[in-house]
Structure formats: structure tokens, C-alpha cells
């Protein structure tokens, strides 16, 4: 400041200038001296006003270039001195001692510290130089198109110190920086401030040719290269030494550390680059190895439900391109494998017990089905949980899991039947002591399995059979539950799928009304009342799974035949033009049996009633042979055997069979079991109810399904052709498949056959010009 | 707002700033302009100088300026008090009464404005001379 007392004579008002040169030299000497004082940190003796005025005058008198170059020289000279006197002596011991990390680390840290001081001094000085040369910056630098003096200072620092031609400062700096980072990676504490100062310095310096920072040109690539190498080695070491969860934790930690490192002392631009390197070296390269780790990889994690580890793997592997794909396919394979195992236990069970099932071991068949569904549901639950807790409900994973379930569920050709049986099991009255909510939630889950079934029409057929039995035998847990289930199916497949099922319910309701009317009719009627209470359910034959062509025969007892006749008259009187066919295979009867100990009320099937009534005419001890029963009752053989089994070989032995045994054979003799005892007064004789079909029945069902498919296919073809009138073969096939696939997957050969059948029946014709095109014939 | 209203409001600001320059006792900078006999001390305000002039921003920065008795003392010997008065009024209130200046005075104000990096003022004064 000029207020400070300066040594007199140092500053004089310009006397008559001898010449412009002398004036220049005088001005410049003072400025050069002042810059040296600034470098010596003696700025407090200097006057801003004078120095500024000196520079101002020089520029004003067209000496800007001389001033600029002079300044450059003074700064360069100073920086050369700094390099020799401060930076070079601080070089860490290099080369041989670099293996001893500690001394080298300390030497490196000291070197960075010196460099930090040098850099800070330089920038401080440059700010002051810039102040006094502001006029030069504004007037000269602009017109001469040279860097502002502060930037000149940065360039000089870059060329004289950081990239010194005379001393290996650059090598030392890079080496030390990388060394410090390596030390930190190996859990040594380093002084981050020193590292940060050097990094910030490199970030402030610009490379002349690339216009990028010196950080980017000199440091970053080297850093990324060494990091790559470091993590390549570490990756190989880690997979060898750690199990999968530990490995992932280490990787997680590394990723975190590198992120922190960038945040604390590197440039943000490096963040994605170093992240990529760690991801590439520690994740991508070891994906399969980690997934497949023997006792700790993906499958063991799933097996032991290690949700945390799975979640970590999901997050970690999601960082790299193939990561989730590898996980997905590994998990899907595992699901298929587990599904295959479930299918196999079922097949082995049914084949092993096939003989028994046919001989009336009622539970086994259904049990296998229920167990299969339960196991599939458990598996589904397990993977839903994984999906939920570890995979963030990732849709892509869900899709791939669903495909796996679909695959193995459809591998089991019995799955439609099994699922229907499972539902049957849950909708049956009072079987499990489950609450309605529990049943409902089980059924909801079952619907998810239903979605996986390819042949929904096959399911429908079984469902109808099972539902019919529940309704007719009065075994439904509740109407609400049944309707709820049908509602669910409707949501899945539309109303077409469920109209017949709903029709069955209507029949039940109408029948109940009809029976009320029938009773009234009897009360008012003058006719002789039937000797028994008759309850009739009138079923619409198209809704119910019945075989009308082979209407079951059976010789009913006279009282019953008479009662049936009365009802028939009543019913046909109200609905003319209908035909009633008695389905005696589907009925039940309550009869009273007198045994030695007490009387029991027996709830039996109609067939069983017919069989038991035969013994009314017999003396005690008088037996009937199988052939006699068969001849007299005219019950179809399979049904007869099954019902005899229920009476003579099951829990309640109303009949005694000679010889004893589980099988019913021709020649067997049957006796009424007078000695029968039971704790309950009312006894229900279980008939073989829902069970897995035998091979013969299965074949029959299959044929029915095929027949139904023919009709549906033809209906679809006609529907489409009626709409389009003319269509090319392949397009027609595609459209038919599209319309039918919600029920089953029609194969093109089947469709082709149906098209031909329709051509034969003159619904369609081939176009005259092009045989690949069909026309609709109205 | 109409320009008439605007200029009236602006006039108010100008008056207040001139008033601040001429009559305020809370000044924190003293600038001594001129040499020898022809010197004069101007009272000024740190923030106004910093805000309006890049030159004074550097001159009064902590790198260079030192306070004495709570005030910055700054000497500007190569600018006469008359010229500095014109400059200071411009710095405070962005006004200059060119009509009252003769050509010599304009030239010396132009030199001072150039030295102190008052670019707009330089342009305005150059325009006057043409």
C-alpha cells in the first residue's frame, strides 16, 4: 500500500524519460523484482497501485508482449528452482525399496505433501500476479490471443513441474498416487488430503493438445489399468478362497470402497469407469463360477432359503449384462429339476399302487393327486417368497419361473385331473377342519397352477365329474365355496368355460323346488303314497358328465320302481316333451339294518341298497354268490365289484365274503353280517368317490376330450370363415389356434382334418384358382 | 411501468447514492488522489468500490490492502482530484455530466477510466470525443 512508508527514492515520478526503452526497462525491472518478492512471500512490502500502474503503462506503450514474455520467464525460472530445491529432494525412495510398502508409503505421502505446498504457493502467487497484471490480461492477452496470465501460470506449472523434462517428477507422482491407492485397497490408512490435493491439481491442469485435464490424460488411464490388473488378480484369489456369500460380500465391499474413493479424492468422471472395471473383473468374469459354487452357490442358497444372500446376488449380478440371465436360467433349471422330482414320485406311487387303487383302496389315488398338487404349491410358495424377498418382484424372473412351472406341470399328463381332485378335496364337506378363509386362500393358489395347464378343456371335464359327485352326494362344503371357485375359473377363462358348471347348480336348485312341489302333489293326490321317501334330482343331460348312450342298467326293487313311476308321471305332466333317464349309479339311499346287537341306519349308494335288499329274502346264514347278485341286480360289472368291495371289504363289513380278501372274484360267496357292530347309530358306507382314474377310464376320458376338441375346432373354423368368407390356409390355422389356445393347444394336423371334414360336408370349398385358399359356403 | 416512471425511480437511486458519497460519515475507505499540492482525500465505501470496479476489487482485496484505524487508505497519485471526482461520481451513481466537461477534462477522465478498467465509461467518453 502506498500508505506504507516505502524506502525513499524507490518510486519516483517519471522524470523526463530519456527514451521509451529506458522507461520500459525501469518499469520491467520493478515488476520482475516485485514478482520475485511475491514468490518469496514478501508481498506485504509491495504496492498494488504502483505495480499495477507500471504494468498499465507498459501495456499502454505497446510493450505488452515484452511484459508477457518477461513474466513467463520469471515464473518459469522460479518454478525450475522450486523443482530442484523442493520437489526433487522429496522424491520417495523408489525402485528397490518399493516392495517395502511402509517406508515407501511414508516417503510417497511426504512427496505428495511437498507437492501440495508447492502447488498452493504457486496458485497463491499467481492470484497476486494476476491482480497486478489485470490490465495486461484485459487489453494485451485478448488482442494477442494468448492465455490469461493465471492460465499461463498453470501451463508453466504443468510443463515445469508436473511434466518436467528435466526431472522424473511425473513418474514419481503417478507411482506414488497409485501406490497410495493400492495401500488403501489393502486396508492401510493413508492421508487422503495429500492425495486429494494432487488429484485436484491434476484436475486443474489442462493438456494442451487434448484440451482435457491432465488428470484424464496422465493419471486416469494408468489408474484404470492398474485397477483392472489388481481386481483381475483379486477375483481369481477370492473365488478360490471364499464361498459364494462371502465372495459377494467382498465384491459389495469393493464396489462400495471404490465409490467412496472416487467421491473422496478422485474425479466423478472416473466413477462409472472404475465401477465397470470392478464389475467386469469381480462379477462378469466369475458369474458362472459363483452361481455354481458347490455348497454355497445359487442352488444351495435357494435350497436353504438364504434370502439375504439371494438378494445380494440379485443386486450384484444385476450390475452386469449377463448377470440376471445367468441367474434366471439357473433358477429355472432348478425349478424344472424339482418339478421333475415331484412328477417322478407321483408316477412311481401310482404305478406301485396301481393294483391296489383298482381294487378299491379309495384314498390312495386321491392322496397322490392331493400330494402332488400340495408339493407343487409348496414349490410355488417357495419361489414366490424368493421372488418377493430377494428378487424385488422382478417381472423377468417371474416370467421365467412361470415357464419352468408350466413346463413340468404339463409334463405330468395327469395334472388337470390332479388339480381338479385337489380342489375337490378342499371343497368336500368337513374333511380338513379348515376355515373358509383357509380354503379360499388354498383355492386361490390352486388357480395359479390352473393357469399353467395347457389343456384346460381336460381340466374342465374332470372338474365337471368331481363337481357332479359333490353335488349329487351332497358333499359340497357350501354353495358359496363352490360358486366362489367357479367365479375364479370364470375370471380365468371366461363365461363359456363355466356356463355348464353353473347349469349344474341351477339343476340342483330347480330340483329342490321340484321336490317341494312333488310332496305337495302327493299330499293332495288320491294316489297311494309311495312306501319310501323319494328324492329326485333332475339333471340336464348336456350340463352333466353322463354317458347317455350307455345308460346304466339296474333292476330296482318294486317299491322303488313304483315310486319312480309316480314321480315320472308328476314330472312329465308338468314338462311335456322331456325324457327322464334314471341314473341309478349316481343315487344314494338311507336304509335301516337290523343286526344282532342293534339297529343301524345305513347310508348307502343305490346299487348297495339293491344288493342289500336281496338279503331280506334270505335266511340267516344263507349266502348269495357273486354270479347270483350280478344276475339278479343287472348292475354293470365294474360298479358291482366296487360296491361289493365297499360292503364286504372296507371299514364297515355289512356283508361277509368267502373266501376272505380284498378282491372281488367270480365265485365269491356273500353273507349278511348279523354280528356287525359299530359305535355309531348312523353309518355312511363310503363308496369309491373321487379317485384318480384307472387307465381304461383315462382312455375313455381322453377320447371324449378328443371328440369335444373336434367339435370345438370345427365350430371355430366355421365361426371364422363365416366372418371372413375367404381365407388363406395358414392364416386360418393361425386364427383357429389363437381362438382355441385358452382351452387347449390344437395341432395343425387336427385343424387340417377338420377343414377337410367341413369341405366334405360343404361348409367350405377350395377356391378355384388357388387350392390354398378356402371360401365359406353360406 | 412506463419509462417515465422508471426514470423517476432511477433518479431517486442516483440521488441517494450521490448523497451517500458526499455526506456519509460511515465511510471505510479514504482515497488520496493527486500529487504534491494538488491532492484531495475522498471518502468512499468498500462494498461500492468492489462492486463497481474490478480495479478496486483487486486493490482492496485481502491480498493487497491493509486497514489503518478501521479504514483502508489508498493513494492514487497519477489521477488529479478533479478527474477522480468525476470518476468517483460515475462509480457511485452511474452518472457523468459530460456537458460540463471540456475536451481536456474528458481526455483525462478517459485515461483514468481506462486504467481503472471501467469499460463502459471508456466507451461513453470515447463516443463524446468523436
Amino acid at each position: 500500500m502506498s500508505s506504507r512508508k516505502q524506502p525513499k527514492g524507490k518510486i519516483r515520478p517519471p522524470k523526463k524519460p530519456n527514451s521509451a526503452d529506458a522507461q520500459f526497462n525501469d518499469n520491467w525491472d520493478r515488476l520482475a523484482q516485485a514478482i520475485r518478492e511475491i514468490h518469496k512471500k514478501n508481498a506485504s512490502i509491495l504496492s498494488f497501485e504502483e505495480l499495477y500502474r507500471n504494468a498499465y503503462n507498459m501495456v499502454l506503450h505497446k510493450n505488452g508482449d515484452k511484459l508477457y514474455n518477461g513474466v513467463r520467464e520469471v515464473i518459469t525460472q522460479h518454478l525450475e528452482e522450486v523443482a530442484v530445491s523442493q520437489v526433487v529432494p522429496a522424491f520417495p525412495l523408489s525402485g528397490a525399496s518399493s516392495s517395502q510398502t511402509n517406508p515407501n508409503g511414508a516417503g510417497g505421502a511426504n512427496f505428495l505433501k511437498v507437492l501440495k505446498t508447492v502447488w498452493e504457493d504457486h496458485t497463491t502467487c499467481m492470484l497476486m500476479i494476476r491482480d497486478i497484471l489485470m490490465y495486461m490480461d484485459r487489453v494485451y492477452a485478448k488482442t494477442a490471443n494468448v492465455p490469461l496470465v493465471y492460465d499461463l501460470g498453470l501451463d508453466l506449472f504443468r510443463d515445469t513441474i508436473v511434466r518436467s523434462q528435466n526431472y522424473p517428477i511425473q513418474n514419481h507422482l503417478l507411482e506414488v498416487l497409485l501406490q497410495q491407492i493400492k495401500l488403501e485397497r489393502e486396508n492401510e490408512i493413508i492421508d487422503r488430503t495429500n492425495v486429494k490435493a494432487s488429484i485436484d491439481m491434476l484436475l486443474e491442469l489442462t493438456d494442451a493438445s487434448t484440451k482435457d485435464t491432465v488428470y484424464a490424460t496422465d493419471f486416469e488411464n494408468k489408474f484404470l489399468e492398474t485397477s483392472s490388473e489388481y481386481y483381475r488378480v483379486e477375483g481369481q484369489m477370492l473365488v478360490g478362497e471364499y464361498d459364494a456369500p462371502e465372495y459377494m460380500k467382498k465384491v459389495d465391499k469393493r464396489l462400495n470402497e471404490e465409490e467412496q474413493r472416487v467421491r473422496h479424492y478422485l474425479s466423478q468422471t472416473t466413477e462409472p469407469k472404475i465401477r465397470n472395471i470392478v464389475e467386469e473383473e469381480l462379477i462378469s468374469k466369475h458369474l458362472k463360477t459363483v452361481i455354481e459354487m458347490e455348497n454355497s452357490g445359487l442352488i444351495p442358497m435357494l435350497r436353504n432359503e438364504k434370502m439375504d444372500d439371494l438378494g445380494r446376488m440379485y443386486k450384484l449380478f444385476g450390475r452386469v449384462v449377463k448377470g440376471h440371465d445367468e441367474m434366471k436360467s439357473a433358477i429355472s433349471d432348478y425349478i424344472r429339476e424339482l418339478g421333475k422330482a415331484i412328477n417322478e414320485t407321483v408316477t412311481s406311487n401310482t404305478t406301485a399302487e396301481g393294483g391296489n387303487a383298482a381294487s378299491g383302496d379309495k384314498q390312495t389315488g386321491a392322496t397322490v393327486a392331493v400330494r402332488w398338487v400340495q408339493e407343487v404349491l409348496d414349490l410355488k410358495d417357495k419361489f414366490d417368497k424368493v421372488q418377493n424377498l430377494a428378487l424385488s418382484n422382478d417381472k423377468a424372473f417371474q416370467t421365467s419361473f412361470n415357464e419352468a412351472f408350466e413346463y413340468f406341470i404339463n409334463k405330468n399328463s395327469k395334472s388337470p385331473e390332479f388339480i381338479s381332485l385337489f380342489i375337490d378335496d378342499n371343497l368336500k364337506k368337513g374333511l380338513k377342519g379348515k376355515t373358509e378363509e383357509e380354503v379360499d386362500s388354498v383355492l386361490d393358489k390352486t388357480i395359479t397352477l390352473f393357469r399353467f395347464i395347457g389343456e384346460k378343456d381336460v381340466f374342465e371335464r374332470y372338474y365337471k365329474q368331481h363337481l357332479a359327485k359333490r353335488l349329487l352326494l351332497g358333499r359340497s362344503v357350501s354353495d358359496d365355496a363352490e360358486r366362489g371357485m367357479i367365479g375364479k375359473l370364470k375370471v380365468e377363462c371366461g363365461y363359456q368355460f363355466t356356463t355348464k358348471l353353473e347349469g349344474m347348480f341351477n339343476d340342483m336348485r330347480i330340483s329342490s323346488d321340484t321336490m317341494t312341489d312333488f310332496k305337495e302333489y302327493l299330499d293332495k293326490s288320491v294316489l297311494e303314497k309311495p312306501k319310501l321317501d323319494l328324492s329326485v334330482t333332475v339333471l340336464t343331460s348336456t350340463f352333466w358328465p353322463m354317458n347317455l348312450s350307455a345308460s346304466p342298467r339296474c333292476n330296482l326293487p318294486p317299491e322303488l320302481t313304483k315310486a319312480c313311476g309316480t314321480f315320472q308321471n308328476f314330472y312329465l305332466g308338468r314338462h311335456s316333451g322331456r325324457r327322464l333317464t334314471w341314473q341309478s349309479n349316481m343315487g344314494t339311499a338311507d336304509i335301516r339294518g337290523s343286526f344282532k346287537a342293534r339297529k343301524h341306519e345305513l347310508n348307502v349308494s343305490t346299487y348297495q341298497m339293491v344288493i342289500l335288499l336281496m338279503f331280506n329274502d334270505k335266511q340267516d346264514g344263507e349266502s348269495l354268490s357273486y354270479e347270483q347278485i350280478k344276475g339278479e341286480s343287472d348292475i354293470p360289472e365294474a360298479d358291482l365289484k366296487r360296491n361289493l368291495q365297499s360292503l364286504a371289504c372296507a371299514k364297515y363289513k355289512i356283508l361277509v365274503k368267502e373266501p376272505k380278501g380284498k378282491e372281488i372274484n367270480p365265485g365269491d360267496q356273500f353273507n349278511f353280517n348279523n354280528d356287525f357292530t359299530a359305535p355309531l347309530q348312523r353309518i355312511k358306507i363310503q363308496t369309491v368317490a373321487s379317485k384318480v382314474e384307472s387307465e381304461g377310464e383315462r382312455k375313455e376320458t381322453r377320447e371324449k376330450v378328443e371328440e369335444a376338441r373336434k367339435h370345438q375346432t370345427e365350430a371355430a373354423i366355421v365361426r371364422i370363415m363365416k366372418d371372413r368368407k375367404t381365407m388363406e390356409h395358414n392364416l386360418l390355422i393361425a386364427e383357429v389356434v389363437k381362438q382355441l389356445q385358452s382351452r387347449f393347444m390344437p395341432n395343425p394336423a387336427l385343424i387340417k382334418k377338420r377343414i377337410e371334414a367341413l369341405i366334405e360336408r360343404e361348409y367350405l370349398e377350395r377356391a378355384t384358382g388357388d387350392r390354398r385358399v378356402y371360401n365359406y359356403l353360406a | 411501468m412506463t419509462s417515465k416512471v422508471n426514470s423517476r425511480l432511477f433518479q431517486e437511486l442516483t440521488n441517494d447514492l450521490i448523497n451517500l458519497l458526499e455526506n456519509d460519515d460511515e465511510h471505510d475507505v479514504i482515497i488520496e488522489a493527486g500529487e504534491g499540492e494538488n491532492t484531495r482525500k475522498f471518502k468512499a465505501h468498500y462494498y461500492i468500490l468492489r462492486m463497481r470496479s474490478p480495479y478496486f476489487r483487486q486493490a482492496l482485496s485481502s491480498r493487497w490492502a491493509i486497514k489503518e484505524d478501521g479504514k483502508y487508505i489508498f493513494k492514487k497519485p497519477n489521477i488529479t482530484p478533479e478527474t477522480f471526482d468525476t470518476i468517483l461520481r460515475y462509480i457511485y451513481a452511474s452518472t457523468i455530466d459530460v456537458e460540463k466537461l471540456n475536451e481536456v477534462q474528458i481526455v483525462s477522465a478517459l485515461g483514468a477510466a481506462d486504467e481503472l478498467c471501467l469499460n463502459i465509461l471508456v466507451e461513453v467518453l470515447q463516443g463524446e470525443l468523436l
Side-chain angles (χ1 to χ4, degrees), chain A residues 242-268:
Chain A
Y242 293 98
D243 64 9
E246 277 306 309
Y247 180 85
M248 293 191 303
K249 277 180 201 159
K250 298 263 180 223
V251 177
D252 233 3
K253 187 161 164 268
R254 281 308 194 193
L255 283 163
N256 203 19
E257 281 172 9
E258 292 301 332
E259 199 198 320
Q260 291 296 322
R261 184 174 348 276
V262 170
R263 185 173 309 158
H264 280 112
Y265 58 82
L266 299 180
S267 159
Q268 276 307 314

Side-chain angles (χ1 to χ4, degrees), chain A residues 563-747:
Chain A
C564 288
T566 312
F567 178 80
Q568 198 152 345
N569 287 337
F570 158 78
Y571 187 82
L572 295 179
R574 300 180 141 214
H575 309 279
S576 61
R578 291 195 185 173
R579 191 162 62 90
L580 288 178
T581 312
W582 295 94
Q583 303 280 326
S584 44
N585 57 332
M586 290 166 129
T588 60
D590 287 333
I591 54 176
R592 190 168 299 140
S594 306
F595 302 93
K596 253 185 208 161
R598 61 189 285 194
K599 288 183 176 180
H600 286 283
E601 262 190 35
L602 306 175
N603 178 256
V604 296
S605 70
T606 307
Y607 285 153
Q608 285 163 1
M609 174 195 73
V610 169
I611 295 165
L612 288 176
L613 288 179
M614 285 182 202
F615 287 90
N616 271 353
D617 309 334
K618 302 294 172 246
Q619 301 294 315
D620 274 4
E622 200 180 331
S623 65
L624 286 169
S625 71
Y626 172 77
E627 285 73 16
Q628 275 174 301
I629 298 173
K630 183 169 161 22
E632 226 171 286
S633 67
D634 205 19
I635 298 172
E637 189 157 347
D639 288 331
L640 179 63
K641 279 190 176 174
R642 213 155 44 188
N643 281 291
L644 280 170
Q645 250 176 351
S646 307
L647 290 168
C649 313
K651 188 176 171 192
Y652 301 114
K653 293 190 172 55
I654 312 295
L655 298 180
V656 181
K657 183 174 86 84
E658 276 302 329
K660 306 241 179 286
K662 289 231 160 195
E663 305 289 327
I664 305 294
N665 293 310
D668 284 355
Q669 293 287 326
F670 297 89
N671 257 317
F672 182 69
N673 182 8
N674 233 332
D675 300 326
F676 174 80
T677 56
L680 291 170
Q681 202 253 327
R682 204 183 138 80
I683 293 166
K684 187 173 176 66
I685 308 294
Q686 300 276 355
T687 341
V688 183
S690 328
K691 62 161 188 70
V692 178
E693 287 184 320
S694 66
E695 277 315 307
E697 289 168 313
R698 180 173 307 286
K699 215 175 140 197
E700 205 175 298
T701 307
R702 201 69 227 178
E703 281 163 10
K704 284 181 192 163
V705 167
E706 292 304 335
E707 197 56 40
R709 285 183 182 178
K710 281 184 196 168
H711 291 307
Q712 285 164 9
T713 310
E714 287 189 0
I717 296 169
V718 170
R719 217 170 27 243
I720 294 163
M721 289 305 293
K722 195 173 175 181
D723 185 42
R724 308 282 182 91
K725 305 297 182 215
T726 275
M727 215 170 174
E728 198 269 328
H729 177 78
N730 286 338
L731 293 176
L732 178 59
I733 301 259
E735 188 61 31
V736 171
V737 169
K738 200 176 134 200
Q739 289 204 5
L740 293 176
Q741 65 190 1
S742 72
R743 298 178 55 81
F744 64 96
M745 191 44 87
N747 77 44

